[in-house]
Amino acid sequence: MKLYMQVLIALGLGLKRNWHIFLGLVLGVIAGIFLHQYPHPVVMMAFTFIGQLFIRLIQMVVIPLVISAIVIGITSIGDSKQLGKLGTKMVFYYAIITVVAVIIGAVLALVFKPGLGAAAYINSDVATGIQAQVATTIEAQKGNLLNIILGFIPKNPLASITSGDMVPIIVFAVIFSVALARVGEINRPFVSFFESVFAATMKITDWIMCFAAPGVFALTAVAVSAFGIDIFMSISKYLGVLALGFGIQLFVVYPVFLKIFSKVPVWMLYAAIAEAMMVAFGTASSSATLPLTIACCEKRGISHKVTSFVIPLGATLNMDGTALLQVVAVIFLAQAYGVALTPFIIVQIAFLAIIASSTSAGIPGAGLITIALVLNGMGLSPEQLIAGFAFLFAIERITDMMRTLVNVTSDAVVAAAIADNENEINYDLLNNPNDYNDVIN
Ligand code: ASP
């Protein structure tokens, strides 16, 4: 066989799936830049189709997976005291990470001032094409916090399941599982049923992941083709500040967090969850990535007890990347329109971003709807708001891809830290990249 054929076969078959997906990502960026220059409707249609096919396949398993994971996780913890301890620790860890994210966002935006002089390229002309989204966002601004909290409690759990509302589904699953744990042995048939559901959904996830490389390639190509690289030139400062903030979260905050609260080696953890990180980037959805985040963590030694409880909740409530973006975006708009930023307003922005981000669903674009809450009371005129949203929407997808990667990584970081604290991590597996657990056992 010719040498180049051997190399090609080795590239195709020998490499790990991580690298296939990474290759998909890089080629997707190149194809997207090319498509922006030379648009081709048929190619675009084909790429959109492949990307959507991949997303729908993973979304298909999310609800059965979340419910079964929570049922098994909570009933296996059993004793409500331990559950309370785990829950409190989880909220504490997620809170630390999100508070640090908003501080970093605020400091970077105030130091680099990406919004100064930006009003020139924020104009309401762009707003015409995206009226629907702008209207939704303005509408969301009217919803107050109490209504948002009420919405977390499902009036009808089955209706929440059919409409895919993750937070009410999780709230119901958690309450139901705690009750199941309390009723004792009689819960066995029900729990066994969900053990089978979990095993089957994990198996399906494994099959779907064979399709991850082309899926991520297509999604990235379509996303990049929408704006090409010229957009990066005009708003490079804004994107630069965001990328720097996300980079600090990934390469400084999480490693320091893991050092302080656990003995988890951060690089081993990142290697373990690399597939989930790339799929998060490609799909811009924490919920869609959830099956994979759980699979990656469990394969490399983090116990099911911890992942099944901490990761689904994290994928829905822990959105530190989104919070960071919301702070930077709002300060950016304030700077662009010359709104005076007093220390009080900055603290208010940071505080509202923490709440708004955690009410964002783990789906593409959610963070740009809830940002309305943060913009409340900033004193921007309706025209400025519309033009501001239009600007943020125009570059939404790329910033969504970045923040989702951060959101998903922090879910796994917190799960790993808790697993370490509770002695629920198998370090032999985590430290040995060539070895892994079968999740279904
Ligand atoms: N797309 C993000 C996620 O799924 C949420 C957001 O829009 O910020 O994590």
Side-chain angles (χ1 to χ4, degrees):
M1 195 186 298
K2 292 241 164 53
L3 184 66
Y4 75 90
M5 276 304 284
Q6 288 178 14
V7 172
L8 280 181
I9 290 174
L11 273 176
L13 302 176
L15 286 178
K16 281 180 57 185
R17 208 160 62 186
N18 279 352
W19 291 104
H20 290 178
I21 305 177
F22 184 68
L23 204 67
L25 209 97
V26 175
L27 292 179
V29 172
I30 298 171
I33 294 171
F34 196 75
L35 270 176
H36 182 75
Q37 296 292 338
Y38 309 99
H40 194 292
V42 179
V43 176
M44 276 301 281
M45 205 169 69
F47 283 5
T48 309
F49 175 77
I50 295 172
Q52 288 307 314
L53 195 70
F54 175 59
I55 291 205
R56 290 182 78 115
L57 281 170
I58 19 184
Q59 278 174 337
M60 176 178 84
V61 293
V62 169
I63 291 182
L65 179 93
V66 166
I67 299 178
S68 56
I70 292 180
V71 168
I72 309 171
I74 293 187
T75 50
S76 70
I77 299 170
D79 144 32
S80 48
K81 234 201 228 137
Q82 208 197 344
L83 186 66
K85 199 178 115 209
L86 214 84
T88 317
K89 188 172 264 179
M90 178 187 74
V91 172
F92 176 65
Y93 282 172
Y94 279 143
I96 294 182
I97 278 185
T98 309
V99 169
V100 174
V102 294
I103 295 175
I104 291 174
V107 170
L108 291 180
L110 292 171
V111 169
F112 292 105
K113 301 188 175 51
L116 283 193
Y121 51 85
I122 305 177
N123 59 63
S124 41
D125 297 350
V126 231
T128 44
I130 52 156
Q131 280 306 341
Q133 287 114 308
V134 174
T136 323
T137 315
I138 305 265
E139 194 48 43
Q141 229 179 335
K142 298 190 184 121
N144 69 36
L145 207 59
L146 294 180
N147 285 340
I148 296 178
I149 294 171
L150 276 183
F152 288 172
I153 318 279
K155 270 197 261 181
N156 173 354
L158 289 183
S160 303
I161 290 175
T162 42
S163 56
D165 288 339
M166 289 313 281
V167 181
I169 293 175
I170 289 182
V171 168
F172 180 71
V174 169
I175 296 175
F176 196 79
S177 308
V178 172
L180 271 179
R182 293 300 286 270
V183 297
E185 268 308 290
I186 201 171
N187 68 16
R188 263 332 290 168
F190 200 80
V191 177
S192 305
F193 168 78
F194 277 107
E195 280 165 357
S196 312
V197 172
F198 181 79
T201 43
M202 274 298 154
K203 190 88 223 139
I204 300 174
T205 306
D206 223 30
W207 292 337
I208 299 170
M209 286 314 292
C210 300
F211 192 58
V216 167
F217 163 78
L219 287 167
T220 314
V222 172
V224 173
S225 73
F227 39 72
I229 38 174
D230 13 331
I231 187 116
F232 292 110
M233 302 306 156
S234 59
I235 50 153
S236 54
K237 210 163 168 193
Y238 173 69
L239 282 179
V241 166
L242 277 178
L244 183 61
F246 293 143
I248 294 178
Q249 276 296 93
L250 288 173
F251 300 114
V252 181
V253 177
Y254 302 157
V256 171
F257 172 87
L258 286 174
K259 248 240 130 51
I260 296 177
F261 294 103
S262 73
K263 46 183 187 317
V264 174
V266 67
W267 295 113
M268 286 298 167
L269 180 68
Y270 283 4
I273 60 164
E275 276 178 79
M277 288 161 92
M278 288 185 279
V279 168
F281 186 82
T283 59
S285 169
S286 306
S287 289
T289 315
L290 178 61
L292 192 61
T293 321
I294 295 185
C296 287
C297 288
E298 290 196 19
K299 277 189 178 173
R300 298 295 302 284
I302 302 177
S303 84
H304 182 71
K305 217 182 209 175
V306 171
T307 52
S308 59
F309 179 57
V310 176
I311 295 184
L313 285 161
T316 328
L317 298 171
N318 168 51
M319 302 278 171
D320 56 328
T322 302
L324 195 151
L325 170 122
Q326 291 182 330
V327 169
V328 173
V330 172
I331 295 183
F332 170 86
L333 290 182
Q335 288 167 341
Y337 289 122
V339 174
L341 285 166
T342 60
F344 176 77
I345 293 196
I346 294 165
V347 173
Q348 175 189 320
I349 294 175
F351 176 72
L352 289 176
I354 294 174
I355 299 178
S357 64
S358 47
T359 62
S360 312
I363 54 171
L368 222 55
I369 307 267
T370 56
I371 201 172
L373 190 73
V374 193
L375 277 165
N376 250 335
M378 288 290 298
L380 296 178
S381 72
E383 294 74 39
Q384 288 176 332
L385 274 180
I386 292 185
F389 280 141
F391 168 77
L392 296 178
F393 276 121
I395 49 161
E396 161 58 5
R397 184 70 189 195
I398 184 71
T399 64
D400 202 2
M401 291 160 106
M402 295 195 280
R403 66 187 189 247
T404 307
L405 190 157
V406 173
N407 290 341
V408 166
T409 308
S410 61
D411 298 341
V413 164
V414 168
I418 294 184
D420 169 273
N421 301 166
E422 303 293 315
N423 262 334
E424 291 283 343
I425 191 164
N426 177 343
Y427 277 105
D428 289 341
L429 276 178
L430 186 66
N431 291 328
N432 183 355
N434 296 321
D435 209 3
Y436 62 84
N437 232 348
D438 197 352
V439 180
I440 303 128
N441 51 20

